[in-house]
C-alpha cells in the first residue's frame, strides 16, 4: 500500500504545478522518479521519454502508466495515471470557469504572461539535460537532422520521429 501511495504522490506532485503541457512535467516527473524515489536511472528514464514520445498521445499519462506499472504492476499504473491527470481534471473543472471569467483582468493576464517564460526555461533545461545522452556522432547527427526537419523545414514532428526510428535501427544497433 505504501508503494501505491508513493506512486500517486510522485505523479501528483509533478503534475499539480505543471503549466504549459505534459512536456513541461517531464523534468518534474524525472525528479520524482529518478532522484526522489530512485525507481529508475536517468538513462532508463531517458529511454522511457524517447519511447513515450514515439507513441501518439500526451506524454504525462504515458509516463505515469509506464512508470506506475514498472513500480507496482497494474494498480501502480492506475494510481499513477490518476495522480498525473487528476490534478489537471480537478483544476480545469474548478478554475477553468474562473479563468474564462477573469481572463481580461490585468493581474490574471500578467500572471499568465509571467509564467510563460518559466515554461520555456523548463523546455530548454529539459533539452540541455538530455544532450548528455548524445553519446556518439550518429546520435548527434540524428538530433541535428531532427532539429532541421522540424524547426527549419517546418516538417511535422511525426516525420522526424519516423526518420529517427529508421536511422536508429540502421545506424545505432
Amino acid at each position: 500500500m505504501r508503494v501505491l501511495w508513493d506512486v500517486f504522490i510522485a505523479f501528483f506532485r509533478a503534475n499539480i504545478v505543471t503549466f504549459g503541457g505534459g512536456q513541461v512535467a517531464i523534468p518534474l516527473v524525472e525528479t520524482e522518479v529518478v532522484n526522489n524515489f530512485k525507481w529508475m536511472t536517468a538513462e532508463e528514464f531517458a529511454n522511457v521519454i524517447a519511447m513515450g514520445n514515439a507513441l501518439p498521445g500526451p506524454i504525462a499519462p504515458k509516463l505515469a502508466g509506464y512508470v506506475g506499472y514498472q513500480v507496482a504492476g497494474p494498480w501502480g499504473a492506475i494510481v499513477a495515471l490518476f495522480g498525473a491527470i487528476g490534478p489537471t481534471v480537478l483544476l480545469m473543472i474548478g478554475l477553468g470557469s474562473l479563468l474564462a471569467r477573469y481572463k481580461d483582468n490585468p493581474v490574471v493576464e500578467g500572471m499568465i504572461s509571467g509564467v510563460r517564460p518559466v515554461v520555456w526555461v523548463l523546455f530548454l533545461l529539459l533539452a540541455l539535460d538530455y544532450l548528455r545522452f548524445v553519446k556518439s556522432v550518429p546520435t548527434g547527427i540524428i538530433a541535428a537532422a531532427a532539429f532541421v526537419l522540424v524547426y527549419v523545414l517546418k516538417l511535422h514532428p511525426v516525420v522526424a520521429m519516423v526518420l529517427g526510428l529508421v536511422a536508429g535501427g540502421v545506424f545505432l544497433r
Side-chain angles (χ1 to χ4, degrees), residues 124-138:
L124 181 60
L125 290 174
L126 177 67
L128 293 174
D129 188 42
Y130 280 86
L131 279 177
R132 65 187 157 139
F133 296 109
V134 177
K135 295 181 177 179
S136 65
V137 172

Side-chain angles (χ1 to χ4, degrees), residues 10-46:
F11 285 94
F12 182 83
R13 275 195 303 223
N15 286 281
I16 194 68
V17 296
T18 300
F19 181 89
Q23 298 292 351
V24 177
I26 292 173
L28 303 173
V29 171
E30 182 179 23
T31 296
E32 296 292 337
V33 170
V34 174
N35 301 335
N36 291 350
F37 291 102
K38 300 184 183 348
W39 292 322
M40 293 181 168
T41 66
E43 188 160 2
E44 290 170 331
F45 188 78

Side-chain angles (χ1 to χ4, degrees), residues 45-112:
F45 188 78
N47 290 338
V48 172
I49 296 294
M51 181 177 62
N53 277 321
L55 299 172
I59 190 71
K62 290 184 283 190
L63 284 176
Y66 181 84
V67 173
Y69 186 82
Q70 291 300 311
V71 172
W75 282 109
I78 292 166
V79 167
L81 281 165
F82 183 73
I85 65 172
T88 303
V89 170
L90 295 174
L91 288 172
M92 285 300 292
I93 291 169
L95 299 176
S97 62
L98 286 175
L99 181 59
R101 186 179 312 154
Y102 296 108
K103 69 180 179 191
D104 295 326
N105 181 299
V107 173
V108 173
E109 286 178 350
M111 291 169 68
I112 292 170

